[in-house]
Amino acid sequence: MPFPGWSDAAAHLLYQAVSATHFDPQHIRPANLLSAELARHIPEAGQMCLDQLSAHLAKAPGIHALTNPDWSRSQALQRFYATNEPARHRSSGPILLLQGTKDLSVMPAATNRLDYELCELGDRVHYRTYPGADHDARLAQAYSDVREWMRTRLAGRQAPDDCQPAPTTAHRELAATGAFPALPWISASLGALVLGATTMTLLRRRTAADPTGVNGRSAK
């Protein structure tokens, strides 16, 4: 396959195909989503966990494509994915999002977009990223953060919130593409850099005067 991590992606697609057929068995078949060569491995998806299935697929011959090129035309599949969209309604509680920057099972762009969508709903979201961590290493690196986040919730303290009060140009780009736009200020003039430093100084002074941020932003 032409991209790294393809066997993990293929395993996830097999699980999705199994779930979709259970969701709407009358209108959805595995072949609606999967390529013919990947659909042949549906039986293994019902017997193997992710790591086993991914390793099995990596050694399987003849897998040159993962999806049916017409999968997006299936209205039944569109309903399945819409129903399982995590950002459909505002959450009744705070949310902790964790993402490894080298995760090939859940790509960072997908979690970036989910973070934006949850914030747009008005959720209180704490989003942590772990440089260099893949899907499994992220769990080990995040353990202490998860423990502390849970401990403070059980203690009755308010959850941290990283959401911006209003969408910026960068966040609008993130919503459309799943990734922040290229930073145009890398080649900025010295005057622009001085302006940025001055702004940061003013923000620090404001934070020192109002450490809770209550005056600058209403609590959720």
Side-chain angles (χ1 to χ4, degrees):
M1 293 300 295
F3 62 92
W6 74 267
S7 60
D8 277 355
H12 280 292
L13 283 168
L14 282 167
Y15 291 146
Q16 290 175 34
V18 171
S19 297
T21 55
H22 284 289
F23 173 80
D24 189 351
Q26 185 175 357
H27 298 102
I28 300 177
R29 298 290 182 270
N32 295 137
L33 175 63
L34 307 174
S35 66
E37 54 261 38
L38 185 57
R40 290 196 295 266
H41 295 276
I42 282 289
E44 294 98 301
Q47 301 173 355
M48 297 180 179
C49 293
L50 177 62
D51 289 345
Q52 295 173 306
L53 184 58
S54 177
H56 170 76
L57 294 171
K59 298 176 182 178
I63 301 178
H64 303 292
L66 301 186
T67 60
N68 180 334
D70 295 325
W71 73 267
S72 62
R73 298 182 182 180
S74 168
Q75 293 185 356
L77 276 175
Q78 294 299 325
R79 287 194 300 272
F80 166 72
Y81 284 114
T83 300
N84 287 278
E85 166 59 48
R88 295 179 67 211
H89 305 288
R90 183 172 180 176
S91 173
S92 60
I95 297 170
L96 175 63
L97 280 182
L98 309 171
Q99 176 69 48
T101 61
K102 298 297 184 181
D103 193 334
L104 297 177
S105 297
V106 179
M107 303 298 287
T111 307
N112 289 344
R113 181 161 185 166
L114 175 61
D115 174 49
Y116 174 86
E117 291 174 345
L118 293 172
C119 288
E120 283 287 277
L121 288 173
D123 286 328
R124 177 173 288 271
V125 183
H126 185 41
Y127 184 18
R128 294 294 307 272
T129 59
Y130 300 87
D134 60 17
H135 196 67
D136 294 326
R138 177 218 43 178
L139 296 175
Q141 292 187 24
Y143 178 77
S144 61
D145 292 330
V146 174
R147 181 179 58 187
E148 178 62 16
W149 192 85
M150 292 297 298
R151 187 186 67 80
T152 54
R153 300 293 73 68
L154 293 173
R157 290 162 53 187
Q158 190 175 53
D161 185 7
D162 302 326
C163 293
Q164 299 295 319
T168 62
T169 300
H171 281 87
R172 293 189 184 96
E173 178 73 10
L174 174 62
T177 66
F180 282 109
L183 301 178
W185 41 262
I186 290 178
S187 59
S189 65
L190 179 61
L193 293 175
V194 171
L195 177 61
T198 302
T199 302
M200 291 301 296
T201 300
L202 292 173
L203 287 173
R204 290 192 186 101
R205 290 177 178 174
R206 179 179 179 181
T207 301
D210 182 21
T212 64
V214 171
N215 292 330
R217 180 181 177 185
S218 60
K220 293 184 180 179

